[in-house]
Amino acid sequence: MSDLAWKDLSLRFKLVLYIVVSVFLILSISSSIVISTVTSQEEQLAYDQSAKMAQSYANQFNADMKSNMAIARNIATTMGAIHDSSTREEASHVVRSILEDNPQLIGTYSGFEPDAFDGEDERYINTTAHDETGRFLPYWNRIGGDIDVEPLVDYSTSDYYQLPKRAKQDVLTEPYFYQGALIVSYVSPMIENDKFIGIGGVDVGLDYVDNTVSSVKAFETGYLFMASNTGIIISHPTNKDWIGSKKLRDFDNPVFHEVASDIEKGKSGYVDIVDPSNGKDVILFYEPISTGNYSILLSVPKDEVFAGVASLRSDLFTIYTFSIVFMGLMAYLIAASFTNRINGIVDEFRTISDSALEGDLDIRANTDVDIDFKKIQEGLNEVLDSLQDANRLRAEMEDVVNRSPVIVFKWKSQKNWPVEFVSRNISQFGYTQDEFTKGNITYADIVVPEDLGNVEQNLLEAINRSDREFNYEYRIITRDGEIKWVEERTFIGNFSANHSNILQGIILDINERKKAEEALEKMGKIRIKEIHHRIKNNLQVVSGLLYLESLNFKSDDVIEAFRQSENRVRSIALIHEKLYHSENLTSLNLSDYIEDLVEHLINSYNVDEEIIKIHLNIENLYLDMDSAVPLGIIINELTSNALQHAFIEGENGEISIDFFKSAGQLILKVEDSGGAFPDDIDFRNTESLGLQLVSNLVSQIEGDIELDTTDYRTCFRIIFRDKEV
């Protein structure tokens, strides 16, 4: 259309055209955003519903597993209670009756240690439910079809017997083959007077598990299957040859390997993957079963999961298409009804807007219009007054900022942080406004490269925590190449992921403050190291004086008392020596310390290391002074006690010192092979100063001490709360 033809068009037509096009664009954009947001939420809801479905199935099978474990625990409890008051025939009948009452089981059994049932194993050698040892081992099963009994086999090597025996707790085994049947065992140990005497257990055939799991359907064609902790497939509705023989890691797909790794760790989750059994694009949800090392996996085609999402998207599109048409029509009618009255106002607005663009905010509207439109003029004039005041205030604020040491920034939350605005006083670092606002330099360009990663990471963490502000100290590079410390304070506000967010904040030069802090920190470290050094020297002087004083006595008891005191002082001095040479002045690496302490004791007692061997198994753990000093004296006393009293002269022996962390607690074990600690001596209430020190120091670190004399060895075990630094 030519310029002349456009000019010939009426103002009414132009205004209607502008309004209709604007409404169309606004509704189109808003419709697109709403549809995208709602469908995105629906997709997440579909994921969540499917995940809850997998969790629900996992809970159902967890209940079955708990029930089976309860039966095994019932057998163990019953047999443990009646073994010394019932005959073997009566006990065997109890095991059989439990199998008859539970058709889902393929076997129930009980197995006793030698002579643990009634002490008469020799009478029952090779009789029913007994093998050549005569042990009571009734295994009632329906593997062959009818219920029959036979003795348990392979109990000396198989997990179903050995795992509960070692752990003394309930066990659910990995799948294994028994007489051609793939089964899992639920086993509970029988403990009497803290001693293992046998097991009670049940076997569940994986055919039963497979039939139960495979019967579950999800959505239209989705299905469940089960895998063990090691990734062995336990059930599958279509590929039966995979059961017991195929692992998740056997599939040539790294995603399956990630799923197997999560299952091993007891994690839940979901992944997009191609189902190897049908070639469909599916979402695979996996959820651990809390009882036992198994997981439920739910495979659902993606198009079924998102069927509701697609339908919702179509409905929303239809609604918003209608809304756009309706609003366009209404905009046309409203605009057409007012265009005659506002032609004069439009002309004046055009004049005012042109003047405002040229910087003239003094012009005002004064067209004579109908009373209905008087408020338009008044409102416009108020806006112009406010703009004039705001412009004056903005100029004053900019002047205040530019005279201050605080630099104001606005940047985009994009790679390298492009700058939208920076105050003129950026010149204090040698840069100009234009270099940033024209894109020649980004904010990331002036951050020291070694600090940039930390700044990005900490900002991301603040955003993920939904913090309103981000405060951080880091270094920047000035135009002259000088490195300076600055403090950033940025307002994050309502940060929205996947959108171009604008961050605004300030940076302040704190270089002089950082120099002062570094100088004070360095002086503090030097002072602390000097204190440790002086304490170590003073303690070594005390140790030397004790040694010299011991030379004045001939009594072995007196000399030994001096030597013990010298070793105690030396154990404390060694801690301060280690701290003096350490970069970390508040904590001590126990591994290095214990090695040096034991070496000192070997030399002090003239130990022949070919006869007395000392084994150290020390983890790299750090303790503060409050724990390290008492622990050093405890190790000194227990090791000295073993070197002095545990071994007969000339005989070979071993001392083991273990220090490790377990379940949030620190554990120290000092064990010797020199025989059991005398039964007639209470180590907590003895005249020995060394053992009194040990008991008192264990209380000081809020720990517990135990003495174990089994297997003709002496083992002190000390457990205390983790104060690792």
Side-chain angles (χ1 to χ4, degrees), residues 169-181:
Q169 62 184 20
D170 296 343
V171 169
L172 175 56
T173 69
E174 284 285 299
Y176 64 95
F177 283 97
Y178 182 82
Q179 295 187 3

Side-chain angles (χ1 to χ4, degrees), residues 251-294:
F251 296 109
D252 188 19
N253 189 327
V255 178
F256 270 116
H257 295 196
E258 296 176 8
V259 172
S261 178
D262 281 353
I263 288 176
E264 286 180 356
K265 299 172 184 175
K267 293 182 178 180
S268 60
Y270 58 84
V271 294
D272 293 351
I273 200 168
V274 176
D275 192 325
S277 66
N278 55 31
K280 293 182 178 180
D281 289 330
V282 301
I283 304 174
L284 184 65
F285 299 86
Y286 49 94
E287 185 74 27
I289 301 175
S290 58
T291 301
N293 300 323
Y294 297 90

Side-chain angles (χ1 to χ4, degrees), residues 163-439:
L163 286 179
K165 180 177 181 179
R166 289 195 299 267
K168 293 184 180 180
Q169 62 184 20
D170 296 343
V171 169
L172 175 56
T173 69
E174 284 285 299
Y176 64 95
F177 283 97
Y178 182 82
Q179 295 187 3
L182 185 61
I183 64 175
V184 292
S185 296
Y186 298 77
V187 191
S188 183
M190 288 185 279
I191 308 297
E192 188 173 73
N193 297 326
D194 201 31
K195 180 180 178 182
F196 175 82
I197 63 171
I199 62 167
V202 301
D203 288 343
V204 178
L206 289 187
D207 286 344
Y208 163 75
V209 175
D210 180 46
N211 291 337
T212 303
V213 176
S214 298
S215 64
V216 176
K217 298 296 181 184
F219 293 88
E220 295 181 9
T221 61
Y223 65 89
L224 288 183
F225 65 102
M226 189 182 292
S228 72
N229 186 47
T230 58
I232 298 175
I233 294 177
I234 299 175
S235 72
H236 200 279
T238 56
N239 296 80
K240 303 300 183 183
D241 56 324
W242 290 356
I243 300 175
S245 62
K246 193 89 169 177
K247 292 186 176 181
L248 295 177
R249 285 193 170 88
D250 293 340
F251 296 109
D252 188 19
N253 189 327
V255 178
F256 270 116
H257 295 196
E258 296 176 8
V259 172
S261 178
D262 281 353
I263 288 176
E264 286 180 356
K265 299 172 184 175
K267 293 182 178 180
S268 60
Y270 58 84
V271 294
D272 293 351
I273 200 168
V274 176
D275 192 325
S277 66
N278 55 31
K280 293 182 178 180
D281 289 330
V282 301
I283 304 174
L284 184 65
F285 299 86
Y286 49 94
E287 185 74 27
I289 301 175
S290 58
T291 301
N293 300 323
Y294 297 90
S295 285
I296 283 291
L297 294 94
L298 171 64
S299 175
V300 186
K302 293 182 69 174
D303 55 357
E304 294 180 15
V305 173
F306 299 133
V309 176
S311 176
L312 177 62
R313 183 184 290 112
S314 177
D315 292 343
L316 288 174
F317 182 79
T318 300
I319 292 171
Y320 280 107
T321 300
F322 173 78
S323 298
I324 289 172
V325 173
F326 177 77
M327 290 301 295
L329 178 61
M330 292 301 297
Y332 172 80
L333 295 175
I334 293 171
S337 66
F338 284 95
T339 51
N340 287 334
R341 300 182 184 181
I342 64 174
N343 283 337
I345 297 176
V346 169
D347 290 337
E348 190 167 32
F349 277 19
R350 184 178 295 109
T351 302
I352 292 173
S353 65
D354 291 341
S355 299
L357 289 175
E358 295 173 359
D360 181 9
L361 296 177
D362 294 327
I363 191 171
R364 295 293 182 270
N366 57 12
T367 302
D368 185 17
V369 295
D370 296 340
I371 190 171
D372 292 336
F373 296 95
K374 285 288 185 181
K375 292 295 182 182
I376 296 178
Q377 284 188 340
E378 294 173 2
L380 177 60
N381 291 334
E382 289 177 2
V383 169
L384 291 171
D385 291 340
S386 298
L387 286 175
Q388 196 171 41
D389 292 340
N391 190 49
R392 183 169 54 254
L393 180 60
R394 181 185 61 81
E396 292 174 356
M397 291 298 296
E398 282 189 9
D399 189 52
V400 170
V401 169
N402 289 322
R403 288 200 303 267
S404 75
V406 175
I407 299 172
V408 178
F409 266 99
K410 283 179 65 177
W411 48 66
K412 297 179 182 178
S413 177
Q414 298 175 0
K415 183 176 178 58
N416 295 329
W417 304 321
V419 174
E420 280 202 346
F421 170 81
V422 62
S423 55
R424 287 199 307 273
N425 58 350
I426 187 66
S427 59
Q428 64 183 275
F429 295 140
Y431 301 104
T432 65
Q433 280 182 310
D434 288 346
E435 287 180 297
F436 287 96
T437 56
K438 291 182 178 179

Side-chain angles (χ1 to χ4, degrees), residues 42 238 305 312 361 500 539 563 568 605 643 716:
E42 285 296 314
T238 56
V305 173
L312 177 62
L361 296 177
S500 179
L539 289 173
R563 178 163 58 179
R568 290 165 186 149
Y605 288 99
L643 291 172
F716 286 94

